[in-house]
Amino acid sequence: MQRPPPNFSSVTAAAARLDGVAHRTPVLTSSSLNKRYGAEFFFKCENFQRMGAFKFRGGYNALASIPVAERAAGVVAYSSGNHAQAIALSAQMLAMPAVIVMPEDAPALKLAATRGYGAEVVLYNRYTQDRSEISLGIAKERGARLIPPYDHPDVIAGQGTASLELFEQVNELDMLFICLGGGGLLAGGLLAAAALNPACAVYGVEPEAGNDGQQSFRKGEIVSIPTPKTIADGAQTQFLGELTFPIIKSYARDILSVSDDDLIQSMRFFFERMKMVVEPTGCLSLAGALHLGEKLKGKRVGILISGGNVDSETFCRLLASSSSTRWHEL
Ligand SMILES: *Cc1c(COP(=O)(O)O)cnc(C)c1O
């Protein structure tokens, strides 16, 4: 059954489902950054969302949209990252069984966190086995729903509520920067922006090594690339979705890309200046915005921080790997 693509009313319906369930995350500012760029920055802090990233919004919205009578068969998801935790937590909250298919070499912490939410973890070998085949097999066998990480109308609508809230919290923006992997967060944000603040220029930001979205946007069709090597592990996607791409193509102003070193600089800024831990993928939006430099002058700029899930060893190693004095002059 082909479902219609999501629209703005799907986003407002998702917001109603998430009301009182997801955190209404704060919007923070930095006067030193504002001064340096002559702009007004508004940081939407999804690093403070439940399970540490915006993915809870889409995951919960997708599960809460399943009719109650069909929930007992449960859900299946494949992910080694935030989507797995989002589905595991949402399933626990809705008393649904969940199976998460994860690589057997996934970090022990992530396996433990997923099991901690009560999900059953099925391991696979990422070099020899196909995770989507395994997941489809489990879904078929149990009659469970497979919830993909971005290319699903309820997931996109749920992710859109992060931007919807930001517009409610700060009113009009001139520019909005959104971290981009498969495009769920960006497509949802574009639906909100097009309805509430159509003059706002919305940009997706990807890692340089994985700029399939930028290539697709420029070419006008979905371009697929090999799994990119980048510290932005939430944006190692190979292609945009069949649902996310048309929305991005219609409404995005542009897709920008940034280097891993740019991400580390932004991570350092968040830590030193704003006292926040932001995961590398969550730094894409700020790093992309800062690339526009002078163009930010006089503008009201929204920065969607997508998540904060990074373990302390990785965090310390990344900060130590790149010496920077960029923020010391602020
Ligand atoms: C999944 C994820 C992204 C990318 O989101 P898409 O909807 O796939 O574009 C960005 N940041 C974090 C922290 C994520 O977990």
Side-chain angles (χ1 to χ4, degrees), residues 215-235:
Q215 293 183 45
S216 305
F217 188 75
R218 307 256 147 102
K219 202 164 174 210
E221 62 188 64
I222 298 174
V223 173
S224 179
I225 60 168
T227 300
K229 264 188 101 135
T230 166
I231 59 170
D233 56 345

Side-chain angles (χ1 to χ4, degrees), residues 54-55 82 150 179-185 234 279 281 306-307:
F54 73 92
K55 288 269 190 346
N82 290 329
Y150 54 87
C179 310
L180 172 61
L185 187 62
E279 64 182 278
T281 316
S306 55

